[in-house]
Amino acid sequence: MAGSTFGNIFKISTWGESHGEALGVVIDGCPAGLKLEAKDIQDFLNRRKPGTSKFTTPRKEDDEVSILSGVFEGKTTGCPISLVVFNKQQRSADYSEIASFYRPGHADYTFDMKYGFRDYRGGGRSSGRETIGRVAAGAIAIKILESLGIKIDAYAKEIGGISIDYNNFDLKERDKNPFNMPDSKAASEVEELASKKRAEGDSLGGVIECQIKGVMPGIGETVFDKLDARLAQAIMSIGACKGFEIGKGFEVASMFGSTNNDAFSIKDGKITKETNNAGGILGGMSDGSDVIFRAAFKPTPSISKMQNTVNKSNEEIEVSIKGRHDPLVVPRAVVVVEAMAALSLVDLIFTNMTARMDKIVDFYKN
């Protein structure tokens, strides 16, 4: 299977299936000397692990990470870093029935058409558990960014059509409710709706917003590897993501140049912008403002509500999906968004070190 590797210099390859022995990631291109221990990675994996509330899959997994290589005496060595998380609570029998039919909204049909067969146990590589490798690698990327003064924060902006009120915005509140919403009132409304839909055997979608602060100007390339293009690729590669926008996004289509353009000004002797409609990116490169983007996630396709589909005998049937599934993926996807944003940014920052001859000379001569 091609397409399991992401990045050019800071490069990751994820591996493993939902109901296989383990999942993990190999990170290549991490500089030597970064302080790193398992806890740094575990803290992020704990934010995405299942079974933390009634609004996530009841599958109980510790998702405990082990560092197999690339770290010695608490620091990275510059060699490939291999991380593994072993599956402990597989119940593959829950999925034996779906081997004979195609679940609506899933990759079952397309997998069969591409490969001629599929791992039907929990979706195999198409499962949300594939993101374990992304989050583990992203935790390392976030440590690198923190050393540069760059901070990434994602949160659920909207779930089931219920959106946060920015007047009530409190990032600390995000970690106090099961929906990762930085607005306690909106979270309470979502809880009521989510409980209702869960009882009906249905699911919810939503929107995740991400803010990246402290990005220096000039990160990103001018053609195919634009910062916004790389972010879009990274975020859209997350299984349930169906939409992406930066800054004002689709809203700019109804604006005028005079209102969409971010005017430049001088503040405290530095060039700044009076607004940030561009979301911190101009011409594919960071402009020094906060990078702001949003991603739309579809409702979980595995629902117990009856749906129409077909089986491998080309018969039309009705199905109710059994198994342990998230009634909404948005809360657990928040940390995945942060991880993919961090991986994109670190790779482009490393690439940027070769952009100017004067910087190269300055580095090696001084």
Side-chain angles (χ1 to χ4, degrees), residues 44-94:
F44 283 86
L45 287 174
N46 288 346
R47 290 175 58 195
R48 74 148 301 282
K49 73 179 181 181
T52 55
S53 83
K54 67 179 182 180
F55 300 105
T56 68
T57 169
R59 177 175 176 174
K60 295 284 187 181
E61 292 280 4
D62 293 334
D63 285 354
E64 185 176 347
V65 69
S66 295
I67 301 175
L68 302 183
S69 67
V71 178
F72 180 65
E73 294 184 343
K75 291 184 178 179
T76 56
T77 64
C79 300
I81 301 168
S82 184
L83 307 174
V84 64
V85 170
F86 287 96
N87 289 320
K88 297 179 180 179
Q89 296 293 324
Q90 308 99 308
R91 285 193 349 214
S92 299
D94 287 348

Side-chain angles (χ1 to χ4, degrees), residues 57-356:
T57 169
R59 177 175 176 174
K60 295 284 187 181
E61 292 280 4
D62 293 334
D63 285 354
E64 185 176 347
V65 69
S66 295
I67 301 175
L68 302 183
S69 67
V71 178
F72 180 65
E73 294 184 343
K75 291 184 178 179
T76 56
T77 64
C79 300
I81 301 168
S82 184
L83 307 174
V84 64
V85 170
F86 287 96
N87 289 320
K88 297 179 180 179
Q89 296 293 324
Q90 308 99 308
R91 285 193 349 214
S92 299
D94 287 348
Y95 299 90
S96 57
E97 184 185 3
I98 69 172
S100 64
F101 63 82
Y102 300 123
R103 294 171 296 173
H106 277 276
D108 299 347
Y109 173 73
T110 47
F111 242 94
D112 264 1
M113 294 302 102
K114 183 175 179 68
Y115 296 106
F117 72 101
R118 61 188 163 94
D119 182 348
Y120 55 81
R121 305 166 302 165
R125 282 292 282 168
S126 293
S127 167
R129 282 190 69 71
E130 180 272 334
T131 62
I132 282 175
R134 300 170 184 242
V135 172
I140 298 173
I142 286 170
K143 283 214 72 171
I144 294 171
L145 295 177
E146 286 175 346
S147 70
L148 296 171
I150 299 171
K151 184 80 163 63
I152 299 180
D153 287 304
Y155 45 84
K157 176 184 180 293
E158 177 185 319
I159 295 177
I162 299 170
S163 186
I164 63 172
D165 182 344
Y166 286 100
N167 292 320
N168 300 330
F169 189 94
D170 180 3
L171 194 58
K172 293 180 180 178
E173 174 60 32
R174 177 194 67 179
D175 302 322
K176 296 177 182 178
N177 64 73
F179 305 105
N180 276 330
M181 299 189 89
D183 176 354
S184 59
K185 184 175 182 295
S188 295
E189 292 175 6
V190 168
E191 181 167 8
E192 183 178 346
L193 177 61
S195 297
K196 179 175 180 288
K197 290 300 174 185
R198 184 168 172 263
E200 294 172 355
D202 216 336
S203 59
L204 300 171
V207 176
I208 293 174
E209 186 167 73
C210 185
Q211 299 181 16
I212 310 176
K213 299 180 181 294
V215 183
M216 61 289 285
I219 302 303
E221 304 302 317
T222 58
V223 187
F224 297 116
D225 280 339
K226 290 178 168 67
L227 174 56
D228 38 0
R230 289 289 296 278
L231 284 170
Q233 179 196 1
I235 303 305
M236 287 294 292
S237 74
I238 302 170
C241 185
K242 301 301 288 184
F244 180 84
E245 65 175 10
I246 286 195
K248 289 293 184 180
F250 281 90
E251 191 178 333
V252 302
S254 60
M255 296 174 72
F256 301 106
S258 56
T259 53
N260 178 58
N261 289 343
D262 298 313
F264 287 104
S265 61
I266 302 294
K267 185 176 181 180
D268 299 326
K270 296 182 179 179
I271 296 176
T272 187
K273 298 189 310 181
E274 295 180 5
T275 54
N276 192 20
N277 296 328
I281 301 174
L282 292 171
M285 296 165 283
S286 55
D287 62 24
S289 305
D290 293 350
V291 174
I292 301 172
F293 66 81
R294 284 165 294 282
F297 285 80
K298 69 179 183 180
T300 312
S302 289
I303 57 176
S304 58
K305 204 167 189 176
M306 294 300 293
Q307 301 178 84
N308 296 325
T309 190
V310 298
N311 60 24
K312 287 190 172 183
S313 300
N314 289 336
E315 298 170 323
E316 295 182 348
I317 60 172
E318 283 190 332
V319 296
S320 170
I321 307 302
K322 299 179 178 63
R324 297 170 294 174
H325 309 286
D326 292 279
L328 62 163
V329 300
V330 171
R332 292 174 63 207
V334 165
V335 70
V336 184
V337 167
E338 290 180 355
M340 293 309 297
L343 292 167
S344 304
L345 198 50
V346 166
D347 192 40
L348 286 172
I349 287 173
F350 286 3
T351 302
N352 199 57
M353 294 178 70
T354 64
R356 290 174 55 169

